[in-house]
Each structure stands twice: as structure tokens, then as C-alpha cells.
Amino acid sequence: MMIYVGSDHAGFELKEALREYVKGLGHNVVDVGTFSDANKVDYPDIAKEVAEKVRDNAGSRGVLICGTGIGISIAANKVRGIRAANVHDTTEARLSRQHNDANIVAIGQRTTGSETAKDIVDAFLTTDFEGGRHTARVEKISAMENGQ
Ligand code: RB5
């Protein structure tokens, strides 16, 4: 699977660890930055870059990290077709896929340990959307993007 990863300065260390973890799982990984925590960067810029890549590459997924996962998920969700879930444990990761067909997972470096974060990413990348009764609900989200 093609996986786009990105973080702001507050998520840099965890992003580095997750990038290597995802590579180790055998995925193709593109890191959009930031590439150092020496300088502050604005999380909406990173969110936009990853979200647009996920939007434009069918079947790909994104992993975004900021301090809390909140700001970067809010920003990513402004891109049409993106369903970014701010996730704190493997149950949320699994359900974000099964029920919401989430295509980006957002994690907070300041709120989630790195081992838990790896388990979250693993669950996120290995769980399929259940479809069924959830399909119409996800379609309603898409309709909202068209002002319906
Ligand atoms: C940066 O200090 C911090 O505000 C950002 O990483 C994120 O937590 C925002 O939601």
C-alpha cells in the first residue's frame, strides 16, 4: 500500500519512528516532512500535503502526527474525500476503518506512546471497511462536501 506520512515539529520524533515502522511492514512510504524539529512548522500545511496526496492516489492512506493529533486531523478533514480520524488506541483505529472508512489516521506525540502508536498504525492499515449499513452513512458525509 502507498502510505503518506507527515508531522509538524511537535510530532517529528513519532513521525520518524512510524515512518520506519510502516516501511518495515513492507509498504511504500512517502514522507512529506517536516524533516527536523529545529524549526516550527504549521500543522495545516503538512495536513494539506498529505491529504491531497491521499485524495489523488486511490487506495493510499495517510499517517499524520502533531502534538495532539487534533489540529492536524481537523485540517486534513477540510480536503474533499478525506476522512481523518484522531485515534488514541487500537479499538478506535479498527473502528475508524470498519465503520468510517477512514483514510488518514492522526496521532498525538504528546498524548500517545510510540509503542501504542505503532499498534494503532498496524490496526489502521490491516482493517477493512465493513460496508453494509456503514456505506450510506459515509456517503452522507461525502454529500455534505457537495453542500447537500
Ligand atoms: C504545536 O505546538 C501544537 O499546537 C500542534 O502540534 C498540535 O498539537 C495542534 O493541534
Side-chain angles (χ1 to χ4, degrees), residues 24-119:
L25 295 174
H27 296 286
N28 296 316
V29 182
V30 173
D31 183 351
V32 309
T34 188
F35 298 108
S36 156
D37 57 4
N39 298 305
K40 296 186 191 308
V41 296
D42 295 332
Y43 59 81
D45 298 332
I46 301 293
K48 184 170 190 285
E49 195 162 347
V50 165
E52 289 179 347
K53 284 180 162 49
V54 170
R55 177 198 64 195
D56 294 342
N57 292 278
S60 68
R61 300 217 190 128
V63 177
L64 285 171
I65 303 101
C66 67
T68 59
I70 296 172
I72 210 157
S73 59
I74 291 172
N77 278 314
K78 299 300 179 189
V79 174
R80 185 183 296 269
I82 292 305
R83 291 175 299 281
N86 184 15
V87 162
H88 307 86
D89 57 40
T90 55
T91 303
E92 291 180 352
R94 176 174 54 79
L95 288 169
S96 78
R97 290 287 311 133
Q98 290 176 330
H99 289 197
N100 314 117
D101 199 14
N103 46 18
I104 292 181
V105 66
I107 304 171
Q109 177 177 296
R110 293 172 177 162
T111 56
T112 303
S114 62
E115 293 307 307
T116 299
K118 289 175 190 170
D119 290 345

Side-chain angles (χ1 to χ4, degrees), residues 105-143:
V105 66
I107 304 171
Q109 177 177 296
R110 293 172 177 162
T111 56
T112 303
S114 62
E115 293 307 307
T116 299
K118 289 175 190 170
D119 290 345
I120 286 170
V121 167
D122 197 31
F124 180 74
L125 295 180
T126 56
T127 305
D128 290 330
F129 179 47
E130 275 183 1
R133 71 187 190 279
H134 304 294
T135 300
R137 296 165 184 166
V138 171
E139 284 174 355
K140 286 190 177 187
I141 297 171
S142 301

